[in-house]
Amino acid sequence: MNDSERFQTENAGDIAAMKGDPDLMAMSRMWARAVAPYRYPYHFRWMGQPIIQVPQDILAMQELIFQIRPRAIIETGIARGGSAIFYASMLALLGEGGFVVGVDVDIRQHNREAIEAHPMAKHIKLVQGSSIDASTVAEVHALVGDEGPVIVALDSNHTKEHVLEELRAYSGFVKKGSYLVVFDTLLEDLPSEMSAGRPWGPGNGPKSAVEAFLRENDRFVIDDDIDAKLLITVAPRGWLRCVKDP
């Protein structure tokens, strides 16, 4: 075993040990709950634009992008555009012509202008419409086609019904070895009052959608090594690795 192999083996052992430490995992969830009222994910920017993600998840996505080298990344729910710009910047660094398709039911004019004026804009294609409408999915398909690899990141309406329909609609873009990432599964681990005024909450959110989806689709498995490695993530049990082509 050479030094690189030894390093990788030691890392895998440490991650497995963390995954088997219930106190450590519980403390991580407690920390996430403690910072949630302060809108912690809103505090960070990528290349000048709010990204609305926690740093650990940003780093995890970077690792997946470098590993998979996707031809396209589909993101539902682009908000202020920072995450689309982040994905685009990673694809630009790879230099292989990859692009981002950002889907949102309401791309506000000031956000659209900020994205379209950004240096990464040439790597981003915007689609306005409900992510689960057949016409929107068809428009995304026209842009992406059937060739892979493709990474899908779901981060729009967080109700169970909506996320489940997104999973059904966009899972077909993902081929074996790539990932479908469902953000904000953490919402179902937070106190219900934190979802006050929202249509989603414990029992009616992304994590419930993932569980329902996996009962009907055998092409994906939860990569809980990512959860264990990150400890802090808004997507616990939301990192879905594709193990079988459509």
Side-chain angles (χ1 to χ4, degrees), residues 1-61:
M1 182 183 297
N2 62 36
D3 182 67
S4 294
E5 292 170 337
R6 185 179 299 105
F7 181 81
Q8 185 172 349
T9 299
E10 289 173 351
N11 266 323
D14 290 339
I15 291 169
M18 288 194 299
K19 184 164 56 175
D21 186 336
D23 291 339
L24 180 61
M25 302 303 290
M27 282 191 292
S28 299
R29 296 292 176 264
M30 288 172 63
W31 185 91
R33 286 196 295 271
V35 300
Y38 303 99
R39 291 158 56 91
Y40 176 75
Y42 286 73
H43 301 169
F44 307 99
R45 292 174 177 259
W46 188 269
M47 297 183 73
Q49 202 65 9
I51 190 169
I52 313 182
Q53 296 288 359
V54 300
Q56 291 87 339
D57 288 338
I58 297 169
L59 191 59
M61 289 298 294

Side-chain angles (χ1 to χ4, degrees), residues 122-159:
K122 62 185 177 181
H123 304 287
I124 301 172
K125 306 175 190 296
L126 299 177
V127 175
Q128 181 161 305
S130 171
S131 58
I132 59 174
D133 282 357
S135 59
T136 303
V137 178
E139 187 173 351
V140 173
H141 185 266
L143 292 170
V144 175
D146 295 313
E147 294 183 22
V150 173
I151 293 175
V152 171
L154 304 181
D155 196 8
S156 62
N157 183 320
H158 296 314
T159 64

Side-chain angles (χ1 to χ4, degrees), residues 74-78 101-104 131 152-156 166 170:
I74 301 170
E75 179 188 34
T76 67
I78 64 172
V101 177
V103 182
D104 203 298
S131 58
V152 171
L154 304 181
D155 196 8
S156 62
E166 284 187 322
Y170 293 93

